[in-house]
Amino acid sequence: QVRLMESGGGSVREGGSLTVSCVVSGYNEPKYIRGWFRQAPGQDREAIATIDSRDSPSYADSVKGRFTISQDKDKNTLSLQMNYLKDEDTAMYYCAVGPLAPYYDGLKNLRVLWRHSGEGTQVSVSS
């Protein structure tokens, strides 16, 4: 059974930093894409950062230069370091995993082919 569990959300002031993490268990495909979606109330879900089994990252323009995605393959964990947080970063953050499709860029790969996600962790940024 595949299970993803996020942690590390919370409340932070604008300009602050936060790291969210995800433990992935039961997904044993050797070629995969992992990443983070976020969804704010009343808005569409947005894929913001991905990393694949080749350790190749990709970022949405909205977070590029501020967020860093990483993974520990031995521990099957995924992390998202978020710096210079803005009010508009407030959302529920979900980690997700799916098969790798090299003909897609990372964000599209996750959007189209994600197969499993967690229940999310809330990030709230206040001014």
Side-chain angles (χ1 to χ4, degrees), residues 18-21 36 48-49 59 63 67-70 78-82 93:
L18 204 61
T19 298
V20 290
S21 299
W36 293 91
I48 59 170
Y59 299 95
V63 305
F67 290 11
T68 302
I69 191 169
S70 61
L78 182 68
S79 295
L80 186 68
Q81 171 70 42
M82 303 181 289
Y93 285 68

Side-chain angles (χ1 to χ4, degrees), residues 21-82:
S21 299
C22 175
V23 178
V24 182
S25 59
Y27 190 84
N28 300 315
E29 295 294 325
K31 296 181 180 179
Y32 58 79
I33 187 84
R34 292 171 173 171
W36 293 91
F37 290 104
R38 69 184 181 186
Q39 187 167 22
Q43 296 189 19
D44 292 336
R45 184 180 60 190
E46 178 188 15
I48 59 170
T50 69
I51 191 164
D52 62 27
S53 45
R54 305 164 298 182
D55 287 318
S56 178
S58 64
Y59 299 95
D61 288 344
S62 58
V63 305
K64 196 174 294 182
R66 300 187 298 122
F67 290 11
T68 302
I69 191 169
S70 61
Q71 65 180 340
D72 184 325
K73 292 180 179 179
D74 291 334
K75 296 181 179 178
N76 275 323
T77 57
L78 182 68
S79 295
L80 186 68
Q81 171 70 42
M82 303 181 289

Side-chain angles (χ1 to χ4, degrees), residues 15 34-35 41-42 44 48 51 62 83 85 87-88 108 112 115:
R34 292 171 173 171
D44 292 336
I48 59 170
I51 191 164
S62 58
N83 298 325
L85 282 160
D87 181 51
E88 52 262 42
K108 185 170 184 178
V112 173
R115 290 291 177 265

Side-chain angles (χ1 to χ4, degrees), residues 72-121:
D72 184 325
K73 292 180 179 179
D74 291 334
K75 296 181 179 178
N76 275 323
T77 57
L78 182 68
S79 295
L80 186 68
Q81 171 70 42
M82 303 181 289
N83 298 325
Y84 306 106
L85 282 160
K86 304 176 182 179
D87 181 51
E88 52 262 42
D89 295 319
T90 295
M92 187 71 81
Y93 285 68
Y94 302 88
C95 62
V97 64
L100 178 66
Y103 42 85
Y104 287 144
D105 66 72
L107 294 174
K108 185 170 184 178
N109 192 162
L110 191 71
R111 284 196 302 269
V112 173
L113 294 177
W114 74 272
R115 290 291 177 265
H116 309 277
S117 69
E119 295 185 355
T121 186

